């Protein structure tokens, strides 16, 4: 993984914590949440305050995520909103944390000026025992306060102020007045500057979880389903439950809910270039398994590799090649149905609120496309990367550093964006789109 770290492809955009004051606040918050402290004086944190260095020191990668269910967090600065979330167990966690920080940014900025804010993403389940427990995770609430209890004390002070203003004899209550003055020294004037965090409840509708071998849950659709990347769970109270081998049923589910579109249909996308790059990744996969040096490949080198290792190329390569010829040169119409290995390589998520989750699922169903995996499912990418031959690791790391890191937004937009192309120069003509296409009709059988 050192190669990925050096190229900024792993642990990138973490927040550096090195000042003694911030380290001391972090330790107080960590003691408050987990009963632990760190001896480190220099480390990095993600959006939740998790530090990979502290995780190694404590020999506990889940020190802020006990049982992998109720994620705890430590905010030292609102700049953490730009950081990634490491050791992800639920696909919704980072979005919830970021939205919470952005909705309360002014208040959190003031609170973190003097103390750490510690909290938890709370739901009704504290430990998952069966997959059916996941369907109880419908609402996430954020509980947060400074380690010194500023918000709790501010709420108490607000209550005392209300008593002082409404109770008839409050003007003569020396104990109440003294307690108000003492509390106000810690909280400030809550009548002029109320200290309150808003928007702390979030719905968790459709999501992915790393638990039980990896599960995608879509209970909030017209045709609800759960898709398992591990063993198919038998006790899920949801209409359809599939495992990764049931390609036709997964394809039908995605199409019936209008969750996907083909790369050929995508407007504003150079679909030929996307298909070609996917073919290159499949070529690299075959060549790496054969022990070929992949350094400095150009287009002619890639064609040579494909010719020399044609017997090793996965079937998906040939399906994509037929599709590329059909789309670019009017070649024969290929029949690529959901049982064809190339099928999910030809898909991307349509423009729906579930776009990121669907692209994440497609990355698992098309595992030989490392670019999509890196962009859409980093946990899977890092786990898969560690199993590759060194030649493939070097090629993919160099490619991502060269082609993706320099323009992340542009790369994402080119692959997954849904903005209309205003140039009038769509790569694929309307008459091609109007055809039935090589995918054919996908039923629910």
């Amino acid at each position: 993984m050192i190669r990925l770290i050096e190229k900024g492809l792993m642990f990138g955009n973490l927040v550096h914590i090195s000042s003694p004051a911030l380290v001391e606040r972090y330790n107080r918050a960590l003691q408050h949440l987990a009963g632990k402290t760190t001896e480190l004086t220099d480390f990095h944190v993600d959006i939740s305050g998790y530090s990979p260095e502290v995780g190694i020191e404590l020999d506990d990668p889940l020190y802020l995520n006990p049982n992998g269910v109720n994620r705890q967090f430590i905010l030292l600065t609102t700049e953490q909103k730009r950081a990634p979330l490491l050791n992800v167990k639920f696909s919704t966690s980072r979005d919830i944390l970021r939205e919470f920080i952005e909705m309360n940014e002014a208040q959190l900025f003031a609170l973190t000026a003097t103390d750490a804010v510690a909290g938890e993403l709370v739901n009704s389940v504290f430990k998952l025992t069966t997959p059916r427990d996941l369907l109880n995770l419908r609402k996430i609430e954020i509980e947060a306060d400074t380690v010194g209890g500023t918000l709790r004390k501010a709420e108490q002070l607000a209550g005392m102020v209300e008593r002082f203003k409404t109770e008839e004899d409050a003007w003569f209550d020396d104990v109440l007045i003294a307690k108000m003055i003492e509390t106000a020294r810690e909280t400030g004037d809550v009548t002029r500057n109320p200290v309150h965090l808003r928007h702390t409840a979030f719905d968790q509708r459709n999501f992915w979880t790393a638990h039980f071998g990896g599960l995608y849950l879509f209970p909030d659709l017209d045709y609800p389903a759960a898709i398992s990347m591990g063993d198919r769970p038998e006790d899920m109270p949801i209409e359809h439950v599939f495992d990764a081998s049931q390609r036709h049923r997964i394809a039908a589910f995605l199409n019936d809910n209008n969750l996907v579109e083909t790369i050929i249909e995508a407007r504003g996308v150079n679909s030929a270039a996307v298909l070609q790059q996917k073919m290159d990744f499949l070529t690299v996969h075959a060549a790496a398994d054969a022990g070929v040096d992949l350094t400095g490949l150009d287009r002619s080198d890639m064609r040579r590799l494909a010719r020399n290792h044609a017997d090793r190329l996965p079937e998906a390569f040939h399906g994509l090649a037929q599709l590329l010829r059909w789309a670019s040169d009017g070649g024969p119409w290929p029949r690529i149905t959901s049982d064809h290995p190339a099928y999910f390589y030809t898909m991307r998520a349509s423009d729906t609120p579930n776009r990121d989750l669907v692209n994440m699922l497609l990355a698992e169903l098309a595992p030989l496309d490392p670019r999509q995996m890196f962009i859409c499912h980093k946990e899977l990418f890092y786990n898969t990367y560690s199993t590759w031959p060194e030649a493939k690791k070097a090629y993919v790391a160099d490619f991502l550093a060269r082609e993706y890191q320099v323009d992340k937004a542009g790369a994402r937009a080119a692959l997954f964006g849904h903005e209309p192309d205003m140039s009038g120069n769509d790569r694929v003509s309307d008459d091609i789109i109007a055809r039935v296409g090589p995918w054919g009709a996908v039923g629910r059988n």
Side-chain angles (χ1 to χ4, degrees):
M1 298 294 185
I2 298 298
R3 183 185 287 112
L4 296 179
I5 296 172
E6 290 176 344
K7 293 181 180 293
L9 299 169
M10 189 175 188
F11 300 150
N13 294 327
L14 296 180
V15 177
H16 187 207
I17 305 300
S18 59
S19 79
L22 291 183
V23 172
E24 189 273 333
R25 290 177 197 172
Y26 187 86
N27 265 329
R28 291 204 306 128
L30 188 55
Q31 178 67 42
H32 174 73
L33 289 176
K36 302 174 181 179
T37 58
T38 176
E39 297 296 325
L40 300 177
T41 58
D42 186 304
F43 51 88
H44 298 78
V45 297
D46 69 2
I47 188 172
S48 74
Y50 169 78
S51 167
E53 298 101 323
V54 174
I56 292 172
E57 178 198 20
L58 300 177
D59 192 25
D60 183 4
L62 295 178
Y63 72 87
L64 283 182
N65 196 12
N67 299 319
V69 180
N70 292 292
R71 186 110 191 189
Q72 298 173 314
F73 60 88
I74 298 172
L75 295 180
L76 299 172
T77 167
T78 54
E79 286 302 303
Q80 287 174 232
K81 71 178 182 180
R82 308 180 195 283
L85 181 65
L86 305 180
N87 294 333
V88 179
K89 296 299 181 184
F90 290 90
S91 59
T92 53
S93 296
R94 183 179 184 273
D95 289 340
I96 289 173
L97 277 171
R98 177 159 187 160
E99 187 173 348
F100 169 72
I101 295 172
E102 290 179 340
M103 291 293 291
N104 296 282
E105 190 155 5
Q107 297 283 40
L108 291 171
F109 182 84
L111 292 170
T112 55
T114 57
D115 202 354
V117 172
E120 185 174 351
L121 277 64
V122 180
N123 57 68
S124 59
V125 177
F126 294 98
K127 186 176 182 179
L128 295 171
T129 55
T130 68
R132 68 182 299 122
D133 293 336
L134 292 165
L135 293 174
N136 295 325
L137 307 180
R138 302 287 289 175
K139 186 177 289 291
I140 305 296
E141 294 190 5
I142 290 185
E143 295 180 357
D145 201 346
T146 64
V147 177
T150 301
L151 295 176
R152 174 176 51 83
K153 293 173 183 176
E155 186 175 348
Q156 292 172 351
L157 178 57
M160 288 188 282
V161 170
E162 186 63 23
R163 282 181 56 196
F164 184 78
K165 291 164 63 177
T166 58
E167 291 184 6
E168 185 175 349
D169 297 327
W171 285 89
F172 307 103
D173 189 338
D174 293 338
V175 174
L176 175 61
I177 294 172
K179 195 170 182 180
M180 288 170 57
I181 294 171
E182 179 185 354
T183 307
R185 290 194 181 103
E186 299 181 62
T187 65
D189 186 349
V190 296
T191 60
R192 294 186 179 182
N193 301 294
V195 183
H196 177 69
L197 297 178
R198 61 194 179 96
H199 197 61
T200 58
F202 301 83
D203 290 331
Q204 181 168 258
R205 301 183 181 278
N206 305 315
F207 62 93
W208 166 86
T209 177
H211 293 280
F212 307 109
L215 274 168
Y216 293 82
L217 285 93
F218 296 90
D220 227 31
L221 297 176
D222 291 339
Y223 303 102
I227 301 173
S228 173
M229 295 298 112
D231 295 333
R232 182 173 176 268
E234 299 294 337
D235 61 344
M236 293 287 287
I238 195 168
E239 185 174 352
H240 301 290
V241 182
F242 312 131
D243 62 46
S245 68
Q246 296 176 285
R247 296 172 58 87
H248 185 72
R249 301 196 69 184
I250 293 172
F253 158 76
L254 293 171
N255 280 278
D256 288 345
N257 285 289
N258 298 314
L259 294 175
V260 293
E261 64 185 15
T262 67
I263 295 170
I264 297 297
E265 293 174 289
R267 295 294 184 182
V269 172
N270 187 337
S271 55
V274 174
L275 291 170
Q276 184 64 67
Q277 186 58 67
K278 289 177 181 286
M279 292 166 58
D280 288 350
F281 287 136
L282 296 175
T283 301
V284 165
H285 172 76
D289 281 349
V292 175
D293 181 10
L294 302 175
T295 306
L297 298 179
D298 58 21
R299 171 55 42 208
S300 61
D301 294 329
M302 201 65 73
R303 287 194 296 269
R304 175 179 51 79
L305 285 177
R307 287 194 302 270
N308 293 347
H309 301 280
D311 57 332
R312 290 177 171 267
L313 292 173
E315 186 60 30
F317 176 94
H318 302 294
L320 292 175
Q322 294 171 24
L323 181 59
L324 181 60
R325 288 192 292 272
W326 174 78
S328 300
D329 306 321
W333 177 9
R335 184 69 175 172
I336 301 178
T337 55
S338 55
D339 58 352
H340 195 292
Y343 180 82
F344 290 112
Y345 288 92
T346 71
M347 296 290 165
R348 76 174 197 176
S350 54
D351 192 11
T352 73
N354 297 295
R355 181 178 66 182
D356 291 345
L357 182 61
V358 172
N359 277 329
M360 191 177 186
L361 170 62
L362 291 173
E364 292 222 45
L365 298 172
L368 299 183
D369 183 347
R371 176 173 57 178
Q372 176 159 342
M373 192 186 297
F374 179 79
I375 295 173
C376 301
H377 199 337
K378 283 189 173 57
E379 294 296 306
L380 178 64
F381 175 84
Y382 295 137
N383 291 336
T384 306
Y385 176 92
S386 64
T387 68
W388 291 339
E390 283 300 316
K392 184 175 180 179
K393 288 180 181 178
Y395 175 85
V396 171
D398 289 342
F399 175 88
L400 292 174
R402 183 179 66 252
E403 303 291 338
Y404 175 67
Q405 286 291 86
V406 295
D407 184 13
K408 295 180 182 180
R412 289 173 185 268
L415 291 169
F416 309 116
H418 289 267
E419 294 295 324
D421 181 11
M422 306 305 291
S423 68
N425 295 320
D426 287 359
R427 180 72 178 184
V428 183
S429 61
D430 288 340
D431 62 320
I432 291 180
I433 300 298
R435 302 179 197 175
V436 175
W439 299 271
V442 181
R444 291 183 56 79
N445 296 328

